[in-house]
């Protein structure tokens, strides 16, 4: 079957993005993660970020029902985590690989930056929902970010404050 969206997907692939794992706790308190490259900063005052959730993903219900989420921006050496959480049905996080701050949403250890967020607003658009989060806690460290462009991983430049 030919993908009718392939030309549009090919055009989108020309845009280089960072790679994140967005995470939440499900109804039982179990940490879940999903690889996302649609993360963006929205506002400094108040501090707000956003990302887009495919409404058909297997964990959409858990993310849409969560009051909090966290965004871990991946380091260049975390490609295996990106691949792991991008696979359908492979969203469970090991409690030993995460840490929590204000909201209790899990952030991956070893990240280059992290944002712990209260869900601020949800906006349904087409086959995705945009989730806006008000930042409750954030952190960052020096290092090289994981980058994705043209359906390939790359390493970003060394970032130092």
């Amino acid at each position: 079957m030919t993908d009718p969206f392939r030309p549009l997907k090919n055009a989108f692939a020309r845009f280089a993005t960072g790679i994140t794992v967005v995470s939440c706790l499900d109804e039982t308190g179990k940490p879940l993660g999903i690889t996302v490259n649609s993360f963006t900063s929205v506002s400094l005052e108040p501090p707000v970020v956003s990302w887009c959730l495919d409404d058909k993903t297997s964990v959409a219900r858990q993310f849409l029902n969560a009051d909090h989420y966290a965004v871990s921006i991946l380091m260049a050496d975390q490609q295996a985590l990106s691949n792991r959480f991008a696979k359908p049905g492979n969203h469970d996080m090991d409690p030993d690989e995460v840490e929590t701050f204000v909201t209790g949403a899990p952030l991956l250890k070893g990240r280059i930056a992290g944002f712990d967020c209260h869900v601020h607003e949800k906006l349904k658009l087409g086959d995705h929902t945009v989730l806006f989060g008000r930042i409750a806690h954030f952190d960052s460290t020096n290092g090289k970010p994981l980058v994705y462009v043209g359906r390939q991983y790359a390493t970003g430049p060394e970032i130092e404050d």
Side-chain angles (χ1 to χ4, degrees):
M1 178 170 125
T2 303
D3 181 356
F5 298 106
R6 179 52 48 204
L8 181 58
K9 290 177 181 178
N10 289 345
F12 287 151
R14 273 41 176 192
F15 183 68
T17 67
I19 298 293
T20 68
V21 171
V22 178
S23 50
C24 71
L25 299 174
D26 72 5
E27 301 83 9
T28 68
K30 181 175 71 172
L32 301 173
I34 187 169
T35 300
V36 170
N37 71 348
S38 61
F39 169 78
T40 191
S41 59
V42 175
S43 173
L44 294 173
E45 186 56 46
V48 175
V49 296
S50 71
W51 64 286
C52 299
L53 174 67
D54 182 340
D55 295 331
K56 296 181 296 295
T57 190
S58 62
V59 290
R61 179 183 52 79
Q62 290 89 332
F63 278 95
L64 292 172
N65 289 334
D67 292 330
H68 312 92
Y69 66 80
V71 179
S72 300
I73 299 177
L74 301 185
M75 282 272 203
D77 65 356
Q78 293 182 305
Q79 181 177 334
L81 287 172
S82 174
N83 289 333
R84 180 175 133 204
F85 292 113
K87 291 180 185 173
N90 196 20
H91 302 290
D92 293 344
M93 302 178 97
D94 183 335
D96 292 337
E97 67 188 342
V98 301
E99 57 188 341
T100 60
F101 293 95
V102 177
T103 72
L107 281 155
L108 286 169
K109 295 177 181 174
R111 65 193 175 273
I112 195 166
F115 302 90
D116 183 14
C117 302
H118 298 280
V119 173
H120 182 69
E121 189 172 334
K122 300 173 198 169
L123 178 62
K124 172 84 170 114
L125 289 171
D127 57 3
H128 282 64
T129 299
V130 184
L131 288 99
F132 295 90
R134 187 167 184 151
I135 300 168
H137 172 86
F138 71 94
D139 59 27
S140 66
T141 189
N142 296 338
K144 294 182 179 184
L146 185 61
V147 177
Y148 196 71
V149 62
R151 295 182 197 85
Q152 298 178 42
Y153 288 103
T155 299
E158 183 76 27
I159 299 172
E160 295 181 17
D161 289 335

